[in-house]
Amino acid sequence: MANDLIGALVVMLGVLFVVLTMIAYLTYLERKILGFMQDRLGPMEVGPWGLLQPLADGIKLLSKEDIIPSEANRAIFRIAPVISLVPAILAFSVIPFGHDSFSILGLTLHPYIADINVGILLILALSSIGAYGILLGGWASNSKYSILGALRSAAQVISYELTAGMSVIGVLILSGSMSLVKIEDAQSGGFWHWYIFPQIVAFVIYVISGIAETNRTPFDLPEAESELVAGFFTEYSGMRFSLYYLAEYANMIIVSSIATILFLGGWNPPLPALGFIPPVIWFLVKVYFFLFFFFWIRATLPRLRYDQLMRFGWKIMLPVSFANIIVTGIAAYFLER
Amino acid sequence: MLKKFLDTILFTEIGQGLKLTLRHMFMKKVTSQYPREKLVLADGYRGFIAHRRYDDGVERCVGCDLCEAICPAKAIRVVSDIHPEVPDRRYAREYTLDFTRCIFCGFCVVACPVNALSMTKEFAHSSFTRNGLIYSKEQMLALGDRAGADSDAYLKVRNMWEAESSGKDEGHYHFPPISLGG
């Protein structure tokens, strides 16, 4: 019993460490990929090929002055970035990144922190809480740019969370479980079992609303630089600013992981013969494919107009995702007979 | 109609854009890592302005004030005087060029009747004070001594351009090897 507890703690610390390192290096990766796509080199000065840039950024952000605007609501201003970051990190607790439990030094380590039977619901709930951090931060800053960014963000996240949730339902119908581990197990045995093929519509909808939920280009209206300076975190500086930043990248990893688990079979290798490569590697490869896709989209597409964003979300994405649920439900009902 | 519908649901245009950005990712980069990797400047590059000397080391400037007169930024100040040692020869007793005002247009080089001024390829001069960028004649002579080849090349290229545009054999820059006394 005590061993189980220590094992779980080790996994938690490991996941936290890996996730925070991944977030730090995602910023590097994004700048590098964006630079390369724009015929530039990206960061090159700190360390070989700029590899120590995230470290330098971290030191810089930690040592910056923490400015609180005089008219701001101080308590909420302080707590809002934390409200944004904590759910984003918390969501990693139900992400399974491997298959078999393994034991080191007599401790049994599971490839996930928790396998609860409502895993996907928990993640959707946590990502909704993250929106409160943005909304409160924007409101507490007492600045016109912040409040506009926060309002846009609230409207956008609510609209697109709906479609993201709807697109997930098709997968839930097919797998018959909300546990992420069981969803992955249901897709084992080759890429033709992956849910991307029967659920291609849901996959496209999920990726689009995932980009929108994480407030990234082309849906980055909440932090539209050209109109709103930096949107909801205009007034933030130093470490609080970087907490928002970390939350954004943590959300990106979460969205990529969920897309991997639901549609690309998670840790399952594409061919059963490729099973000798550890499941963790397969999981990371797929997650990084999605993260690369995020950067790729950012380098390619311009920002949407606000009414286009809303029209697209409510008039196109939502009806299509409803249709997908109905078709999937009918097909699953008749095929199971 | 069907094609338009298919293009919409298959994201054809976004796919084209994604293809373009992906292709650029593998193209040659245009960035040059400046302090470690310097570009070759053309001979006509208009960098910091230098004073030139004759071959025997006597300064060319005769203090005629033409550069001061033509300077559109009023960056040049000349105080001319009779040369203390050589009779019948004038020189610039004081000559300052304020590089904080200079716009590097090259008019002074064109105006100079004795080719005493030329532009070099030096551009990375910086200073913590404004006075540090107001150059005296001695500093500009030192610059000319340091970058003499560049200043010759600049005048030759100017000569070539002028000859091409006027149709004559050569432009108005001459390089008399003689000295004017001293």
Side-chain angles (χ1 to χ4, degrees):
Chain A
M1 188 63 212
N3 266 6
D4 280 359
L5 210 63
I6 296 170
L9 269 176
V10 169
V11 175
M12 277 182 216
L13 287 177
V15 168
L16 197 63
F17 176 76
V18 169
V19 163
L20 288 179
T21 318
M22 252 172 95
I23 291 171
Y25 270 88
L26 268 189
T27 60
Y28 170 78
L29 203 65
E30 170 159 37
R31 291 168 68 180
K32 214 66 182 169
I33 288 175
L34 273 184
F36 267 64
M37 286 185 171
Q38 295 164 359
D39 294 346
R40 299 181 286 114
L41 287 174
M44 288 290 281
E45 288 304 311
V46 194
W49 284 83
L51 271 171
L52 298 177
Q53 187 69 43
L55 207 67
D57 286 347
I59 292 169
K60 186 195 84 174
L61 284 166
L62 273 171
S63 56
K64 286 251 176 186
E65 187 186 355
D66 178 26
I67 301 166
I68 299 180
S70 56
E71 295 293 308
N73 186 323
R74 301 177 77 86
I76 298 180
F77 188 86
R78 285 208 177 102
I79 200 79
V82 182
I83 297 177
S84 197
L85 178 64
V86 168
I89 300 278
L90 215 55
F92 284 100
S93 57
V94 292
I95 302 263
F97 48 85
H99 181 217
D100 300 314
S101 304
F102 47 94
S103 42
I104 298 170
L105 299 173
L107 296 173
T108 311
L109 304 180
H110 297 293
Y112 44 77
I113 293 174
D115 173 24
I116 56 175
N117 55 5
V118 288
I120 188 73
L121 267 188
L122 180 80
I123 286 179
L124 289 176
L126 285 173
S127 69
S128 311
I129 293 177
Y132 280 100
I134 293 173
L135 195 55
L136 288 176
W139 178 78
S141 300
N142 209 346
S143 145
K144 52 183 177 267
Y145 301 121
S146 299
I147 192 74
L148 275 174
L151 290 175
R152 280 183 179 188
S153 172
Q156 177 180 324
V157 169
I158 288 168
S159 318
Y160 279 82
E161 226 163 43
L162 205 57
T163 48
M166 289 297 159
S167 63
V168 165
I169 291 179
V171 173
L172 300 186
I173 292 173
L174 290 183
S175 66
S177 172
M178 284 199 200
S179 152
L180 292 171
V181 177
K182 291 212 177 66
I183 292 174
E184 277 183 322
D185 282 337
Q187 299 177 70
S188 60
F191 67 89
W192 52 91
H193 290 295
W194 293 356
Y195 288 145
I196 181 170
F197 298 111
Q199 289 294 314
I200 181 74
V201 178
F203 173 71
V204 172
I205 292 174
Y206 184 79
V207 170
I208 294 175
S209 42
I211 296 171
E213 250 189 277
T214 47
N215 296 333
R216 291 190 56 83
T217 338
F219 303 104
D220 63 340
L221 290 120
E223 44 199 89
E225 289 90 355
S226 38
E227 6 180 324
L228 295 181
V229 189
F232 53 88
F233 55 74
T234 304
E235 303 293 339
Y236 280 90
S237 56
M239 206 52 212
R240 282 176 220 287
F241 170 81
S242 64
L243 288 186
Y244 271 125
Y245 224 75
L246 291 179
E248 186 183 327
Y249 282 87
N251 275 324
M252 271 169 64
I253 300 178
I254 286 292
V255 166
S256 305
S257 307
I258 296 297
T260 304
I261 291 166
L262 294 185
F263 298 102
L264 290 188
W267 43 261
N268 287 304
L271 293 168
L274 290 170
F276 60 91
I277 300 172
V280 182
I281 306 282
W282 282 117
F283 185 74
L284 283 179
V285 164
K286 291 169 190 174
V287 167
Y288 270 98
F289 167 74
F290 278 107
L291 291 172
F292 175 76
F293 186 72
F294 271 75
F295 303 146
W296 191 9
I297 282 281
R298 178 172 173 191
T300 307
L301 296 179
R303 189 179 303 130
L304 262 74
R305 215 171 56 213
Y306 197 69
D307 61 317
Q308 291 170 335
L309 175 92
M310 282 293 145
R311 201 189 60 207
F312 185 64
W314 290 99
K315 287 192 171 172
I316 297 171
M317 301 265 285
L318 197 61
V320 171
S321 56
F322 278 138
N324 179 58
I325 293 171
I326 293 166
V327 171
T328 311
I330 293 171
Y333 181 77
F334 283 110
L335 287 178
E336 269 182 23
R337 298 228 149 170
Chain B
M1 186 65 194
L2 182 70
K3 187 178 176 300
K4 190 159 179 277
F5 179 70
L6 281 177
D7 280 351
T8 311
I9 63 164
L10 295 178
F11 301 104
T12 316
E13 288 180 358
I14 292 180
Q16 284 169 356
L18 289 174
K19 212 171 79 187
L20 184 79
T21 39
L22 192 66
R23 205 170 65 228
H24 271 269
M25 200 172 152
F26 300 104
M27 281 185 180
K28 195 178 175 303
K29 306 297 168 226
V30 295
T31 312
S32 70
Q33 299 288 94
Y34 163 63
R36 288 184 290 283
E37 182 187 317
K38 289 180 178 167
L39 297 179
V40 178
L41 296 173
D43 280 347
Y45 185 81
R46 298 204 296 249
F48 270 59
I49 301 164
H51 263 290
R52 289 154 45 76
R53 293 178 195 274
Y54 286 111
D55 290 349
D56 59 359
V58 176
E59 61 180 78
R60 286 181 179 238
C61 182
V62 293
C64 69
D65 271 11
L66 282 180
C67 49
E68 182 178 356
I70 204 164
C71 183
K74 298 200 184 340
I76 300 175
R77 190 176 69 96
V78 186
V79 179
S80 63
D81 205 348
I82 294 172
H83 204 285
E85 289 152 23
V86 191
D88 301 338
R89 171 140 164 76
R90 292 178 72 80
Y91 82 122
R93 178 156 54 83
E94 279 179 42
Y95 190 104
T96 56
L97 206 164
D98 186 350
F99 280 108
T100 63
R101 303 182 78 178
C102 178
I103 57 171
F104 301 96
C105 61
F107 282 8
C108 47
V109 181
V110 178
C112 188
V114 291
N115 302 329
L117 292 172
S118 178
M119 303 193 108
T120 63
K121 289 175 188 167
E122 294 200 16
F123 58 91
H125 289 211
S126 55
S127 166
F128 285 105
T129 59
R130 280 163 189 271
N131 281 343
L133 280 170
I134 301 177
Y135 276 33
S136 68
K137 189 174 69 180
E138 284 68 36
Q139 279 168 300
M140 291 175 72
L141 277 169
L143 190 61
D145 294 342
R146 201 162 62 234
D150 288 349
S151 62
D152 283 350
Y154 179 79
L155 290 181
K156 277 180 184 137
V157 161
R158 289 288 319 201
N159 235 11
M160 203 175 71
W161 290 343
E162 276 188 26
E164 271 173 18
S165 58
S166 66
K168 288 178 199 153
D169 285 344
E170 58 174 336
H172 82 281
Y173 295 104
H174 305 287
F175 300 94
I178 50 157
S179 73
L180 293 177

